[in-house]
Each structure stands twice: as C-alpha cells, then as structure tokens.
Amino acid sequence: MQAVAEAIGLKNVESVVETFYTAVRQHPTLAGPFGRVTDWPEHLRHLSHFWWVTLGGKRYLDYRYNVTERHAAAGFTPELLNDWLDLFRQTVRARLDAELAEAWLTRVERIGESLRLMHELGHFPRPSTFASLPITAHPS
C-alpha cells in the first residue's frame, strides 16, 4: 500500500501547511499562541516535515518534533485544540480530494485525541514551563 504522504505529495503537504498557518495567524483564538513564532519560514519547513513523516513519508530533516512539548509551550488548552482541529479540517478538506483529506485527518484526529487525553489525565506539561520561550527553531 502506498503511504498517504506519497499519495498526497510533498508539495501538497507544504501547501496545506502554509495555507493553514496563514489562517491561524488571522484566527481569533489561535493567533495568540502562535504569536510566539519568530521565524515563520523555518517553522513552516519543520511543520511540513512533521506532517510528511507522520503521513508515512521519508524523513528529510534531522530533528524530532515533540508534539506534547510544543503544544504545551504554546499554551494549548482543550478548547484551543478544538479550534485548531476545526480549522485544520476545513483547510485539508478544501485543499485535497476527499479520500486523501480523510486519510490525513485520521492521523490528525488520533494526535488530537492523544493530546486531549493527556490534558484529562493531568499529564500535559504546564504551559508556564515553556511559555516564555520564543519559537525560532525546533531543537532535536
């Protein structure tokens, strides 16, 4: 079976990520947490890589993205996660055909559910631990 990443294509993953984060920067609740990003081109490059690998593509950057730590650093709450998921669903469905969009969103929903569960169980790092750190690059 072909990886979802290959079916979507790297250029399409990059396009979805760029379109989505352009919308995030204008969003009434999501713009604030992402206001910490100081280098958007680099941030988008790393997020495109994250999604490419998450969708089954071959790693092309040498770093590991810690989803929990990154979302805690941005001060994400379950409510913000819901807003993020709603906007991401809209973006992916608008940019890809239905089958590919749903394949990507299946992975998104799993990650979202994991983050929600970590919040519910009290295993999500406190935002204050990371909140003062700007997002300039993604360390290994």
Side-chain angles (χ1 to χ4, degrees):
M1 184 175 134
Q2 182 183 28
V4 173
E6 295 296 328
I8 293 172
L10 180 57
K11 292 296 177 200
N12 285 328
V13 169
E14 291 169 340
S15 177
V16 166
V17 168
E18 184 173 340
T19 300
F20 174 70
Y21 283 98
T22 296
V24 161
R25 287 180 268 181
Q26 305 303 314
H27 193 275
T29 63
L30 297 173
F34 285 95
R36 297 177 50 245
V37 176
T38 60
D39 185 347
W40 273 103
E42 185 70 6
H43 192 64
L44 294 174
R45 187 170 81 92
H46 285 278
L47 290 170
S48 293
H49 180 260
F50 167 78
W51 284 114
W52 177 252
V53 172
T54 299
L55 295 169
K58 185 176 179 180
R59 190 173 290 283
Y60 59 87
L61 294 177
D62 186 25
Y63 85 97
R64 303 272 183 216
Y65 187 88
N66 185 322
V67 174
T68 305
E69 181 180 304
R70 290 291 171 193
H71 285 83
F76 260 68
T77 62
E79 295 77 22
L80 284 172
L81 178 61
N82 288 337
D83 291 347
W84 189 99
L85 288 167
D86 288 343
L87 184 59
F88 200 80
R89 285 182 200 108
Q90 291 170 16
T91 304
V92 171
R93 287 179 177 141
R95 304 286 302 180
L96 299 175
D97 70 47
E99 186 178 330
L100 293 176
E102 294 312 310
W104 189 340
L105 292 173
T106 295
R107 286 155 175 83
V108 169
E109 298 296 340
R110 284 187 203 138
I111 293 169
E113 189 56 36
S114 176
L115 291 172
R116 271 191 218 97
L117 186 58
M118 290 181 80
H119 267 286
E120 288 174 20
L121 297 175
H123 298 310
F124 204 75
R126 295 170 49 93
S128 61
T129 306
F130 307 102
S132 64
L133 303 174
I135 299 173
T136 54
H138 298 272
S140 300

